[in-house]
Amino acid sequence: MRMNDSPASRIAANLRTLREARGLSVVALAERSGVGRATLTNIEAGRGNPTIDTLYALADALGAALGDLIGEPARTRVEVVRAGHGTRVEGAVSARLLDRVRGQRLAEFYEVEFATTARHADPHPAGVTESLLVVSGRLRVGPVAEPAELGPGDFIRFPGDVPHLYQAIGGPARGVLVMAHP
């Protein structure tokens, strides 16, 4: 990230670029995403502090990945993300974008911190899968219809295109999440 490139300005530029590339007005994107027009206008102006839920709603409405909104383009062949650096989004789940891998599919890697407040996530676009490795703490995670309780070292993969949840049990939890997009 360049020194004068704040996360808010990067999100603003990425959101505007994605919205315009899809030929959507602010009003149309607000309707599709369920995000208020004033909120959307503030985010695009770099004045917003959107929650992770707001960013997911916008990404899903745009048919984009969360990283398309919060990430910056790769500039070198070798990238190191030092502890404490990288684009962060916060809410009931706080996430730090670690990497994005393109091939047959797009895969995004996140270091995530989970609060004891449950995050009930709406379905992502068809074909999205989520894989999570729990690093510390205990977590209830997965499709709302069949969540699993996990501890350190446990791994889960589940469809992200169904309603799902994340909730730390008995205190905060951390993990590494991979979101794979078709």
Side-chain angles (χ1 to χ4, degrees), residues 55-64 122-125:
L55 292 171
Y56 269 123
L58 292 168
D60 290 348
L62 290 164
D122 291 328
H124 299 296

Side-chain angles (χ1 to χ4, degrees), residues 14-86:
N14 291 344
L15 177 59
R16 192 175 320 101
T17 298
L18 289 166
R19 180 181 57 75
E20 290 173 354
R22 285 151 178 80
L24 294 173
S25 67
V26 170
V27 172
L29 180 56
E31 289 173 1
R32 273 191 186 183
S33 66
V35 173
R37 192 176 94 197
T39 300
L40 186 52
T41 299
N42 281 332
I43 294 169
E44 278 200 9
R47 293 187 304 263
N49 186 19
T51 66
I52 193 167
D53 293 321
T54 297
L55 292 171
Y56 269 123
L58 292 168
D60 290 348
L62 290 164
L66 177 63
D68 291 332
L69 287 177
I70 67 173
E72 61 182 292
R75 293 190 175 99
T76 64
R77 289 178 16 130
V78 177
E79 291 189 46
V80 176
V81 179
R82 300 283 182 204
H85 292 96

Side-chain angles (χ1 to χ4, degrees), residues 92-93 114-121 130 132 134 136-152 154 156 158 164-174:
V93 173
F114 302 96
T116 54
T117 303
R119 177 179 187 272
H120 292 270
E130 297 191 24
L132 175 73
V134 178
S136 66
R138 298 204 50 77
L139 192 64
R140 182 175 297 108
V141 61
V144 170
E146 53 183 316
E149 288 193 15
L150 307 175
D154 291 342
I156 186 172
F158 61 91
H164 51 284
L165 68 90
Y166 291 97
Q167 183 177 17
I169 302 168
R174 295 178 59 142

